[in-house]
Amino acid sequence: MSSDLVPLRLLAEEEMDTNLEKRERRESENAYYKRRFDVAEYYKSLNVVKRGDDIFPPLFEFRKITIVHVLQSEGPGKGEDIYGHLNKNALVAKLVQSGLTQWTEETKASFAALLGHPGWKKTNTRKLHPVERLNARFLCKRCNARVVHNRWHCKGMSLAEVCNHQCLGLNKNERTKSAWRVDQFCVDERVCEHIE
């Protein structure tokens, strides 16, 4: 081989390696976005099945459930469909349901603490959980802060409404940065005099 061709061969090999890395990275990113889309579709299918008063996490919180997070970030395998995996695998469905139950209990406990009932335990079958009572209403602090500048006003929300709440008037950048959190809400003092 001529000495003139050696630098060209090295340059061609380097360019081929770069192109291969780009393709692998692109395939990996596409697979990741596909998994995120599948999780969102599964979330929508679960959300349709729930009853109106059921407490159900926002999509951002749903993605944090351990099994969902693992499937979304790593996936079951190359070329496998996550949506089908979530729908057809009984063990995965049971783990998702367990994660949802745990999230529901933690959320109820957090909002019960806001109402002045930290560590509330159900001892009487006739007594409702503090967050399930009619006078358990909550306000979004962010939306309340914007009321001064806007004409609309905030209304008290039940826990199910709080779990589905998205702040109004946020631009796309603010929506992506503002994650749903329990400390974003406060008790609606106009309705919740004292919950026993």
Side-chain angles (χ1 to χ4, degrees):
M1 184 179 282
S2 141
S3 62
D4 293 341
L5 294 178
V6 171
L8 288 174
R9 193 182 102 210
L10 292 175
L11 188 63
E13 286 176 357
E14 185 178 311
E15 191 173 327
M16 285 173 47
D17 288 343
T18 304
N19 287 339
L20 184 63
E21 286 174 10
K22 282 182 183 176
R23 184 174 28 178
E24 287 174 355
R25 190 171 43 247
R26 193 176 330 115
E27 286 174 358
S28 174
E29 287 173 2
N30 288 341
Y32 176 71
Y33 288 119
K34 171 74 169 96
R35 290 191 302 265
R36 284 184 62 83
F37 177 78
D38 286 347
V39 166
E41 288 299 308
Y42 181 66
Y43 172 81
K44 286 178 190 172
S45 70
L46 287 178
N47 210 358
V48 166
V49 174
K50 77 173 184 80
R51 293 185 319 234
D53 294 342
D54 285 350
I55 298 167
F56 203 73
L59 179 58
F60 178 81
E61 290 292 315
F62 180 75
R63 290 184 193 277
K64 290 181 182 178
I65 293 174
T66 307
I67 186 68
V68 175
H69 179 71
V70 168
L71 286 173
Q72 178 180 273
S73 57
E74 297 166 17
K78 192 171 183 175
E80 287 190 44
D81 181 27
I82 296 251
Y83 184 75
H85 205 69
L86 286 165
N87 266 333
K88 294 176 183 154
N89 191 324
L91 177 62
V92 171
K94 196 177 279 189
L95 289 171
V96 168
Q97 195 57 49
S98 171
L100 285 171
T101 302
Q102 180 182 352
W103 183 88
T104 300
E105 293 306 315
E106 289 171 2
T107 302
K108 279 183 170 183
S110 298
F111 278 97
L114 275 179
L115 291 169
H117 295 278
W120 190 85
K121 300 238 188 281
K122 189 171 187 168
T123 55
N124 186 347
T125 56
R126 285 194 239 154
K127 255 192 168 178
L128 282 174
H129 195 286
V131 299
E132 295 171 343
R133 298 177 189 164
L134 288 176
N135 60 344
R137 307 300 281 180
F138 304 94
L139 295 171
C140 174
K141 292 177 186 176
R142 277 189 232 142
C143 291
N144 240 5
R146 291 173 181 254
V147 167
V148 176
H149 305 294
N150 294 328
R151 292 184 178 174
W152 54 273
H153 68 282
C154 291
K155 67 176 185 84
M157 298 177 278
S158 68
L159 185 58
E161 292 169 326
V162 163
C163 292
N164 290 317
H165 176 71
Q166 290 182 340
C167 294
L168 297 173
L170 299 178
N171 62 35
K172 186 177 182 180
N173 191 26
E174 290 173 328
R175 273 193 306 257
T176 55
K177 288 182 181 176
S178 68
W180 185 93
R181 296 183 326 271
V182 172
D183 63 354
Q184 166 187 345
F185 300 95
C186 63
V187 174
D188 185 353
E189 298 295 337
R190 299 171 297 186
V191 179
C192 304
E193 300 273 322
H194 183 68
I195 297 177
E196 294 189 27

